[in-house]
Amino acid sequence: IPVSGGKDSTWQVITALDYNLKPLCVTWNTPARNKIGQRNLKNLIKLGVDHIDFTINPKVEKKFILNSFKKFGNPLIPMHMAIHSIPISVAMKFKIPLVIWGENSASEYGGNENYLFKNKMSRKWKKLYGVTHGTTAKNWISKDLSAKDLLPYNWPTDKMIKKSKISEIFLGYYFKWDPQKIFKISQKYGFSSAFKPKTGLYSYADIDDEFLISVHHWMKWYKFGFTRLWDNLTLEIRNKRISRDKAISIVKKSGNQVPRIEIKKFCEYLNISDKKFYQIVNKFRNKKIWSRVKNKWVIKNFLIENWKWKNNEIKD
């Protein structure tokens, strides 16, 4: 089971143990793991599982993160490549026949109908929905990142996986994927939430990483004109816990939730200036939705009227 120690992977482990499976849990060790993330990961292991915590060469990872941020405005391409590579490689090494993933994001957040409500993971799925912009490890080979450097990010082919007789399934195909329900179950088994949301609506999601996940989600504002909060609220609407009008009022009250502290830590980690960060960020502003009006970037016909477009939110 690929795990981070978050509520979802905690629930995956709980479910597997309930069905008398004997999991080997495998973690990609984020360079930004925080105290609550470490605590929740230890709690997951104490549920009664074997565990491998895989750390990639930090010099390689830092270069890769910076390159992916510059090229696609996404610092988490390395993470998504690693979490879709390392567990499968481990399963092949130890001849483990089943890999249990969490939810199928194609069905949770919307996607190509050929991939909706499917129970199996595939290489094609990873390229479409694995948040790598359709790239694989070989696309990132350069003068400062060799094929050997990028080996931990290299996905085994479908042919190799089939030969190893490994099945990769989405647990969300067999059980309804509801973040609130999953959190409450995981909490009973020792999972800890934060005091307040790190990004978005939930105080129990996206909390194990100190800065990478927050910057990743913040880029949606530039690319799509919405934030992580909107993602979470759509799930709450679909689960019929709040109305659309209530969700809009929450967005209006919360504003953009600019992750200033996380941006500062991200810049320190990559050794880039605040100015350089915003230069990169603004390259990915979607001009199809953003317009310059009276020296401010605005989204015309925005969902919420009288939105406060602040100059100090965007540093040009």
Side-chain angles (χ1 to χ4, degrees):
I1 304 178
V3 303
S4 66
K7 71 179 192 321
D8 295 336
S9 54
T10 298
W11 181 71
Q12 286 165 241
V13 168
I14 292 166
T15 305
L17 292 173
D18 282 347
Y19 281 83
N20 297 315
L21 299 179
K22 186 175 175 58
L24 169 61
C25 293
V26 180
T27 302
W28 164 76
N29 184 5
T30 167
R33 183 183 291 166
N34 55 22
K35 289 182 180 179
I36 192 170
Q38 186 64 41
R39 185 165 69 246
N40 280 325
L41 182 59
K42 285 184 177 180
N43 176 73
L44 180 151
I45 297 167
K46 287 180 181 178
L47 294 175
V49 297
D50 298 317
H51 177 254
I52 294 174
D53 200 8
F54 195 106
T55 301
I56 295 174
N57 181 334
K59 292 181 179 180
V60 168
E61 193 139 65
K62 187 176 291 190
K63 288 178 185 177
F64 194 0
I65 289 171
L66 180 58
N67 289 352
S68 68
F69 184 56
K70 285 180 177 178
K71 188 167 184 176
F72 290 111
N74 182 349
L76 288 191
I77 288 175
M79 180 194 84
H80 287 105
M81 279 192 186
I83 63 176
H84 285 121
S85 168
I86 296 167
I88 306 304
S89 298
V90 170
M92 290 171 63
K93 176 71 175 177
F94 292 106
K95 296 181 172 57
I96 299 171
L98 181 65
V99 177
I100 302 175
W101 297 96
E103 79 275 36
N104 180 345
S105 58
S107 58
E108 289 301 303
Y109 294 101
N112 186 301
E113 63 180 9
N114 293 325
Y115 296 91
L116 297 177
F117 315 118
K118 298 294 184 180
N119 68 327
K120 293 288 183 71
M121 167 77 81
S122 67
R123 186 181 180 89
K124 189 175 286 187
W125 187 99
K126 291 171 188 174
K127 289 193 75 173
L128 282 172
Y129 300 108
V131 199
T132 65
H133 288 266
T135 66
T136 60
K138 69 178 182 180
N139 298 121
W140 294 92
I141 296 172
S142 63
K143 63 180 181 180
D144 60 344
L145 288 174
S146 69
K148 285 186 177 180
D149 289 334
L150 295 166
L151 192 60
Y153 304 99
N154 196 32
W155 302 333
T157 64
D158 285 341
K159 186 177 181 180
M160 292 166 66
I161 294 170
K162 186 177 180 179
K163 186 178 179 181
S164 299
K165 298 180 180 180
I166 294 172
S167 291
E168 298 180 71
I169 63 168
F170 291 112
L171 198 61
Y173 175 84
Y174 303 94
F175 300 89
K176 179 175 171 54
W177 202 266
D178 182 337
Q180 293 265 24
K181 178 182 175 182
I182 288 170
F183 164 61
K184 288 176 182 177
I185 294 172
S186 296
Q187 190 179 38
K188 288 180 182 178
Y189 285 80
F191 173 82
S192 300
S193 63
F195 292 111
K196 62 179 182 178
K198 192 169 183 64
T199 180
L201 180 69
Y202 305 129
S203 61
Y204 50 77
D206 300 320
I207 59 173
D208 58 330
D209 184 281
E210 192 67 16
F211 52 81
L212 289 174
I213 195 72
S214 298
V215 173
H216 168 71
H217 286 311
W218 172 239
M219 290 303 297
K220 295 174 183 177
W221 181 239
Y222 294 83
K223 296 175 180 180
F224 310 116
F226 63 85
T227 67
R228 183 59 165 171
L229 179 62
W230 300 45
D231 286 336
N232 298 153
L233 288 170
T234 58
L235 293 179
E236 292 304 297
I237 293 170
R238 290 171 195 167
N239 284 307
K240 300 180 179 179
R241 283 190 284 265
I242 62 172
S243 66
R244 184 175 184 273
D245 288 341
K246 176 62 176 177
I248 291 173
S249 70
I250 292 172
V251 171
K252 188 173 183 178
K253 182 178 179 180
S254 301
N256 293 344
Q257 297 183 313
V258 184
R260 300 191 188 283
I261 294 174
E262 288 81 3
I263 289 171
K264 183 175 185 294
K265 290 180 178 180
F266 179 71
C267 291
E268 290 172 351
Y269 167 68
L270 290 180
N271 195 28
I272 62 174
S273 66
D274 183 74
K275 182 179 179 181
K276 179 65 176 177
F277 172 83
Y278 282 102
Q279 284 176 345
I280 295 170
V281 162
N282 275 289
K283 281 171 51 183
F284 298 96
R285 189 189 297 280
N286 186 349
K287 301 296 176 57
K288 292 180 180 178
I289 61 173
W290 287 94
S291 302
R292 195 75 167 168
V293 177
K294 294 182 180 178
N295 204 34
K296 292 181 182 180
W297 284 107
V298 305
I299 299 175
K300 293 182 178 179
N301 302 314
F302 194 56
L303 175 66
I304 299 171
E305 294 182 6
N306 302 316
W307 185 261
K308 295 180 180 178
W309 303 102
K310 298 178 181 179
N311 276 330
N312 62 356
E313 288 177 355
I314 315 296
K315 298 183 180 181
D316 289 325

